[in-house]
DNA sequence: AATGACGTAGAT
DNA sequence: ATCTACGTCATT
């Protein structure tokens, strides 16, 4: 299978491009391209999208030969997902079983991230999918197309569908060690990682996926730790805000004792109108960026009005009065623990 | 206990 | 106005 080759050199498919890559191929090494692309993801965005499309097209076409598919999971996923995702029938590749609308276009819920987010305006309520690019850099049509032809779908679907798999674990499996030489990761390890995928630095993933993978990356992962840090910083800011904001009507005060640690209690008969608690923003479910798309909450979103079960904040799962009050610094400590 | 449905707070 | 999702209650 030449998937690795295709992944590394999509131009080998023979189609022409109207753009030029900022890329001087180094003999025997394609990695500089990835570094280069990573460094300048926004400027080269259209080029990247073109690459994504070529990948998607390639896999889409390859699916025709699904009999000898190198992705045995594809059929399985298709079987499972088809009733829920009719588009899977069309593309022979199941779409990402997550809320792609949310993933690509919709805005995020207000987590406790009230800190100085760089893209506060651009991202606004959009899921903090891509820390590098604001929403305005993501053409909607392209986004939708990627959603339909998402070449990551089979594995992503499988990984995300596994309920015991936390968001972090799920996304970690999408990582491809930067040290893996291009093309060196063949079919062998495709089960656990995207063997055909270039290292993350290559940005050869949909923009959102890049960040999602790095968000949950371990501290040791090299490459794009900046995005990781950026997100964590946002959380730090958020945590600092609602920890240090005392109890004077700031969002912290609204969090009840689960987060804000200043309320007198859940069942505060103190007459204070019951305020909605907010997601802590730091627990694993909170850090998960995409909806599973298959849980009851996702399926019943219209009537259920509930967040994806796997994104439900751990703190909010607890009864408001059942948790020990979290010291304001504890959250920060947790946050910083991710750094090191 | 789990789930579904609904009202509505909060954000944009 | 619209959207997300928390809180609550009824049902299973």
């Amino acid at each position: 299978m030449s998937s690795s080759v295709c992944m590394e050199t999509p131009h080998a498919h023979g189609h022409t491009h109207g753009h030029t890559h900022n890329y001087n191929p180094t003999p025997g090494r394609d990695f500089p391209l990835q570094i280069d692309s990573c460094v300048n993801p926004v400027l080269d965005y259209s080029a990247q999208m073109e690459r994504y499309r070529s990948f998607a097209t390639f896999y889409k076409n390859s699916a025709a030969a699904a009999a000898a598919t190198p992705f045995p999971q594809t059929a399985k996923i298709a079987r499972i997902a088809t009733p829920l995702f009719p588009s899977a029938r069309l593309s022979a590749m199941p779409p990402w079983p997550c809320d792609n609308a949310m993933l690509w276009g919709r805005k995020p819920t207000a987590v406790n991230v009230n800190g100085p987010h760089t893209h506060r305006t651009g991202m606004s309520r959009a899921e903090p999918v891509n820390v590098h690019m604001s929403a305005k850099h993501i053409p909607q049509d392209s986004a939708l197309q990627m959603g339909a032809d998402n070449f990551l779908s089979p594995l992503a679907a499988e990984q995300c569908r596994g309920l015991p798999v936390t968001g972090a674990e799920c996304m970690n499996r999408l990582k491809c060690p930067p040290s893996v030489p291009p093309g060196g990761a063949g079919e062998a390890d495709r089960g656990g990682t995207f063997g055909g995928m270039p290292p993350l630095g290559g940005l050869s993933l949909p923009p959102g996926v890049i960040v999602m993978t790095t968000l949950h990356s371990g501290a040791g992962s090299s490459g794009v730790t900046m995005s990781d840090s950026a997100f964590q910083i946002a959380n730090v800011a958020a945590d600092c805000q609602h920890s240090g904001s005392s109890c004077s009507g700031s969002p912290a005060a609204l969090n009840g004792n689960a987060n804000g640690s200043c309320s007198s209690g859940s069942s505060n008969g103190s007459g204070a109108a019951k305020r909605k608690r907010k997601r802590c923003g730091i627990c694993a479910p909170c850090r998960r960026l995409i909806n599973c798309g298959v849980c009851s909450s996702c399926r019943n979103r219209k009537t259920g009005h509930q967040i994806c079960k796997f994104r439900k904040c751990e703190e909010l799962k607890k009864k408001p009065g059942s948790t020990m009050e979290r010291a304001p610094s504890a959250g920060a400590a947790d946050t910083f623990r991710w750094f090191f």
Side-chain angles (χ1 to χ4, degrees):
Chain A
M1 177 63 183
S2 60
S3 66
S4 61
V5 173
C6 295
M7 298 308 293
E8 290 305 323
T9 58
H11 298 130
H13 299 316
H15 58 262
T16 59
H17 292 273
H19 62 271
T20 58
H21 284 286
N22 184 12
Y23 170 43
N24 292 321
T26 301
R29 265 181 80 89
D30 277 345
F31 198 60
L33 164 65
Q34 292 143 8
I35 297 295
D36 197 0
S37 301
C38 181
V39 170
N40 198 6
V42 176
L43 293 179
D44 203 26
Y45 180 74
S46 58
Q48 295 296 343
M49 288 306 298
E50 184 63 25
R51 294 180 62 198
Y52 301 153
R53 288 199 186 93
S54 66
F55 298 155
T57 302
F58 170 74
Y59 279 107
K60 188 175 178 180
N61 294 337
S62 297
T69 178
F71 306 113
Q73 287 177 325
T74 299
K76 176 182 168 187
I77 300 294
R79 273 202 312 274
I80 298 172
T82 297
L84 277 174
F85 306 98
S87 62
R89 283 193 294 266
L90 300 175
S91 63
M93 298 283 284
W96 189 297
C98 307
D99 190 342
N100 281 322
M102 172 174 284
L103 176 62
W104 289 106
R106 241 181 273 146
K107 300 183 170 185
T109 62
V111 190
N112 277 337
V113 181
N114 296 322
H117 194 285
T118 307
H119 299 295
R120 178 71 176 171
T121 305
M123 297 300 291
S124 63
R125 286 177 59 188
E127 289 287 342
V129 166
N130 193 326
V131 186
H132 291 303
M133 295 184 225
S134 61
K136 64 184 176 183
H137 293 305
I138 303 176
Q140 192 66 20
D141 54 345
S142 299
L144 291 175
Q145 179 171 348
M146 287 304 299
D149 294 334
N150 197 324
F151 55 91
L152 291 177
S153 300
L155 285 177
E158 186 67 17
Q159 306 295 0
C160 290
R161 192 184 310 280
L163 304 191
V165 177
T166 67
E169 293 167 341
C170 172
M171 289 312 164
N172 273 332
R173 294 184 190 179
L174 302 180
K175 288 192 301 181
C176 182
S179 59
V180 174
E187 331 289 325
D189 56 351
R190 182 163 289 130
T193 61
F194 286 90
M197 291 298 178
L200 277 176
L203 196 64
S204 289
L205 297 170
V209 177
I210 288 288
V211 174
M212 287 187 293
T213 58
T214 59
L215 279 182
H216 302 294
S217 63
S221 66
S222 61
V224 256
T225 53
M226 273 305 295
S227 62
D228 194 0
S229 301
F231 190 84
Q232 305 305 345
I233 286 170
N235 277 322
V236 170
D239 205 33
C240 289
Q241 165 157 354
H242 73 76
S243 62
S245 59
S246 70
C247 311
S248 55
S250 72
L254 308 182
N255 287 335
N257 52 356
N259 295 324
S261 77
C262 48
S263 169
S264 60
S266 59
S267 59
N268 50 21
S270 59
K274 283 203 171 184
R275 300 286 194 157
K276 288 169 69 173
R277 293 177 296 164
K278 288 183 180 178
R279 313 161 59 186
C280 70
I282 60 175
C283 66
C286 282
R287 284 185 285 147
R288 183 166 180 146
L289 299 178
I290 54 178
N291 295 328
C292 73
V294 296
C295 70
S296 60
S297 295
C298 287
R299 283 184 278 119
N300 299 325
R301 173 137 305 131
K302 282 285 190 291
T303 57
H305 303 171
Q306 289 293 314
I307 192 172
C308 170
K309 286 189 173 183
F310 306 106
R311 297 181 61 213
K312 181 74 173 181
C313 175
E314 294 290 351
E315 296 296 332
L316 294 179
K317 286 177 185 173
K318 303 170 185 173
K319 289 243 176 182
S322 66
T323 58
M324 287 192 53
E325 293 193 348
R326 196 183 74 190
S329 59
D334 288 343
T335 302
F336 281 111
R337 200 156 38 227
W338 301 344
F339 278 113
F340 310 109

